Amino acid sequence: LALGLALMAGCSDENGDGGTGGMPECEDSDDCLDLDDECAIVTCVGGVCEYLLAAWGAACAESTGVCLGGRCLEPHIAFTGDQEDVIGAGQWGLCYVPDEHISYYKTDDTFHIWFTQGEAHHFISSDFNELTPAMMFNGNSVAAFGPSGEGFDRDYAGPGSVIRASNGHDLLMFYHGEYQWPEGGYYATIGLARSSDEGQTWERLGPVIEGRLSRPDPPPWYGAFGAGGPCALVDERDGFIYLYYLDWGAPVYPEEDTHTHVARAPISSDGLPGSWHKYFEGEFSEDGLGGNSDGVLRGWFASISYNTSLGAYLGVYVLADGFYYSISFDRIDWTVGKKLLTRNETPSTGEPWLLYPSLLSPSQPTDGTTTETGYLYYGHGIYNVECHHMVRRPVEVGWSTAATN
């Protein structure tokens, strides 16, 4: 409903009159029935038919759509081709890729693609079809950045997202760091590193987002805790970097263990430690290091972009039974998810295993923007047989008529 209300001008103002100008006179609401449409309810107010704003988009709220132009429309992603390998299992010495969100940017005629296998790997391409390691040794990809051997990123360190710093030259890497327990499981923290030589070397700048729970030692069980799985979105219009991430807060916050959270920092701050505020109770008010937060999107390992075809923010993310997608007009309120691809959270040996989706449009200079066409990249493996490796499928993105209850 919040989205419907936010869009009420788009639904009502087809004549440029605010939605009420030129409306017929009436004696009661029955005189206005002919004006009702798919997601706009009209009633008689003061002798004139007027839109009932409180009901605007309510019909759409029953679906996965929003009210646009008097119709319930929903975002639609459709596959337009088959799955194909991008990096095969074991190719370039890599397995278990991607292991987080895939990030890229373009310089001149070269794409720079960043992903993780527990450490940061940098690949380059002229067309985003053939990917080659930027650094190699004996035919294998050499990591550009990795675990520190101590502290919050002792055992794992990989992006995440790589974006330009505010000076237009340096690179900022927001990465998933892990402190792993010998018995299994880990505590995750999101860290920041900076490069002034196009990613050849990196300076660690410390943690920027911590989980709501401090690191338990020993943990109540050997699973995932803390904050991780970052995906950064730079919005030049309001001057902030938005960082979407997971917060594994069980056992205190089990209801939100499957939710994506969000924090933001001024672009001018370059996301330095102390500049971040988490979204909590309707405001970006809580400190990035240790503050409380609310989940904004039900799903995990979200790939967030601004989609030019939809004119909205588009999120592709994971739930137990598949990859889903939703849209938002304010980065906070998201539509009900639609399934894009079925997956099995607990496959048996020999069955496919899918995780870590990233929606990318290589026609754009960075992964922060997508269009009406692109690819869904993700990890695909055969459980207990073959490590997951990078694959992709072509997609189209647009609007379709929403099915309402």
Side-chain angles (χ1 to χ4, degrees):
L1 180 57
L3 284 175
L5 291 172
L7 289 166
M8 60 188 178
C11 292
S12 64
D13 199 16
E14 295 179 351
N15 297 315
D17 55 17
T20 56
M23 296 291 280
E25 296 181 354
C26 57
E27 294 183 1
D28 55 44
S29 294
D30 288 343
D31 295 335
C32 305
L33 290 178
D34 290 342
L35 299 175
D36 286 350
D37 59 23
E38 188 174 331
C39 58
I41 299 175
V42 186
T43 189
C44 188
V45 179
V48 177
C49 291
E50 291 189 3
Y51 288 99
L52 184 60
L53 299 185
W56 212 279
C60 302
E62 298 289 330
S63 71
T64 56
V66 295
C67 185
L68 290 171
R71 294 186 299 155
C72 285
L73 299 177
E74 63 183 5
H76 184 67
I77 302 179
F79 289 115
T80 58
D82 296 330
Q83 177 181 295
E84 60 183 7
D85 285 354
V86 179
I87 297 176
Q91 186 179 8
W92 308 114
L94 299 175
C95 260
Y96 310 107
V97 295
D99 213 39
E100 302 285 341
H101 175 254
I102 299 171
S103 187
Y104 79 87
Y105 58 87
K106 190 176 183 181
T107 58
D108 298 324
D109 296 324
T110 302
F111 290 98
H112 297 262
I113 302 101
W114 292 86
F115 56 87
T116 183
Q117 179 196 253
E119 51 196 8
H121 287 267
H122 177 199
F123 275 56
I124 57 176
S125 176
S126 62
D127 57 8
F128 226 113
N129 292 319
E130 299 293 331
L131 277 58
T132 305
M135 295 184 288
M136 284 194 295
F137 181 76
N138 287 340
N140 292 331
S141 175
V142 174
F145 181 83
S148 66
E150 60 183 5
F152 76 93
D153 57 357
R154 182 184 72 177
D155 304 297
Y156 184 115
S161 287
V162 176
I163 64 173
R164 286 290 175 194
S166 60
N167 65 7
H169 176 268
D170 292 0
L171 296 174
L172 305 174
M173 178 194 295
F174 298 100
Y175 66 93
H176 173 109
E178 289 181 10
Y179 174 97
Q180 298 175 355
W181 290 287
E183 299 85 351
Y186 59 84
Y187 186 85
T189 304
I190 298 172
L192 171 65
R194 185 174 185 129
S195 173
S196 59
D197 56 10
E198 208 60 37
Q200 296 184 61
T201 61
W202 293 87
E203 177 189 4
R204 299 175 198 272
L205 299 179
V208 294
I209 303 290
E210 294 176 337
R212 291 166 292 176
L213 296 181
S214 299
R215 188 177 80 201
D217 208 355
W221 62 81
Y222 292 101
F225 298 87
C231 176
L233 182 70
V234 180
D235 197 326
E236 300 282 355
R237 290 171 293 184
D238 70 356
F240 285 95
I241 307 167
Y242 291 83
L243 196 62
Y244 291 85
Y245 64 96
L246 280 165
D247 189 311
W248 293 284
V252 177
Y253 306 100
E255 75 285 354
E256 289 197 358
D257 240 22
T258 58
H259 282 65
T260 294
H261 297 239
V262 63
R264 73 179 187 183
I267 293 174
S268 59
S269 73
D270 285 336
L272 285 171
S275 65
W276 292 90
H277 288 91
K278 298 177 181 178
Y279 183 79
F280 181 64
E281 295 185 343
E283 297 179 330
F284 287 95
S285 57
E286 291 285 304
D287 289 343
L289 297 174
N292 208 341
S293 61
D294 289 327
V296 297
L297 175 64
R298 181 177 173 266
W300 60 92
F301 295 114
S303 171
I304 307 293
S305 62
Y306 180 79
N307 186 269
T308 59
S309 177
L310 300 173
Y313 300 96
L314 176 60
V316 178
Y317 51 92
V318 181
L319 287 173
D321 65 340
F323 295 161
Y324 283 73
Y325 60 95
S326 300
I327 65 166
S328 173
F329 293 93
D330 63 1
R331 311 178 201 84
I332 303 299
D333 296 308
W334 295 82
T335 56
V336 177
K338 288 188 65 180
K339 184 186 284 190
L340 176 59
L341 187 63
T342 297
R343 69 182 290 268
N344 187 351
E345 176 73 2
T346 56
S348 300
T349 296
E351 292 183 339
W353 184 89
L354 313 178
L355 201 59
Y356 309 117
S358 294
L359 185 67
L360 307 176
S361 291
S363 62
Q364 300 303 297
T366 75
D367 58 282
T369 304
T370 51
T371 66
E372 70 278 5
T373 59
Y375 293 89
L376 181 72
Y377 288 76
Y378 53 97
H380 177 279
I382 304 300
Y383 192 67
N384 283 338
V385 175
E386 179 184 82
C387 63
H388 73 264
H389 59 282
M390 190 185 298
V391 301
R392 71 178 185 180
R393 289 186 68 179
V395 297
E396 288 183 348
V397 181
W399 292 104
S400 64
T401 303
T404 59
N405 295 331

